[in-house]
Structure formats: C-alpha cells, structure tokens
Amino acid sequence: VATAICPHTLGARPVILPPRPPLTLEFQARHGSDHATLWIDGQEKWPVDEGDRVTLVADERPLRLICWPGCQYFSLLRRKLHWSGQMPPTLQNDRHEGYD
C-alpha cells in the first residue's frame, strides 16, 4: 500500500499496488531548495537527495482481495477518485495477477 503523507489534493489516497513489476521512484527536485524524506510505516525515515531511487517490491505474503467478474481495479480507482491522465505503459492493462 502506498500512502501520501500530508497530500495537497483530495485525490491523493492510499493505493494498493500490484505485486509485479516492482515500482521504482526517483526524486527529481523542481527547485534547488526542494528536499524529500522517505518514511516507512510512519516509523523509520531517510533523507532523499536529487536522483535517489527507491524500489518497492511485494511482500512474500499475499493480500487477498475480493473482486467481481470484470473488475478493473485501477479503472475503478480513477473513476471514483476522479484521477486523470494516462497510465504508464507497464500498467495500461488494469487486470493484474491477484486482482482478477
């Protein structure tokens, strides 16, 4: 589950991500004074510098979700949370293993 801390929009909600592929985030400062901090479970924190990458990988223990036939998890989130924009090519297909 990825959760934005102190989001500045109502559309920044926690998201359950598919187990594969791993998700890699890279911090890119927009201004010279920009900085970031990575918090894990609200307990541990690390400073993140320009160009630093963080890769999220799935836990070996699966999370069981109940979905009805034809459920398209990310399409449902986009519709209910009024998200817009294109999905990255690796996530264009909303049907992911574990969500069907």
Side-chain angles (χ1 to χ4, degrees), residues 6-63:
C6 301
H8 298 286
T9 66
L10 294 177
R13 304 273 199 248
V15 177
I16 298 173
L17 300 168
R20 288 171 291 289
L23 176 64
T24 299
L25 308 170
E26 181 177 343
F27 178 60
Q28 295 179 349
R30 293 184 182 174
H31 307 286
S33 62
D34 287 351
H35 64 278
T37 302
L38 174 67
W39 287 81
I40 305 295
D41 291 333
Q43 304 289 320
E44 301 178 44
K45 67 177 183 173
W46 292 273
V48 179
D49 295 319
E50 174 82 26
D52 283 353
R53 291 183 178 179
V54 175
T55 300
L56 306 175
V57 295
D59 192 300
E60 59 190 42
R61 297 168 294 172
L63 171 67

Side-chain angles (χ1 to χ4, degrees), residues 3-4 7 11 13-14 20 23 26 31 44 47 52 54 64 66 77-78 80 82 86 88 99-100:
T3 305
R13 304 273 199 248
R20 288 171 291 289
L23 176 64
E26 181 177 343
H31 307 286
E44 301 178 44
D52 283 353
V54 175
R64 305 276 184 222
I66 299 173
L77 285 178
R78 282 194 303 272
K80 289 189 175 237
H82 305 287
Q86 297 295 316
Y99 297 124
D100 296 343

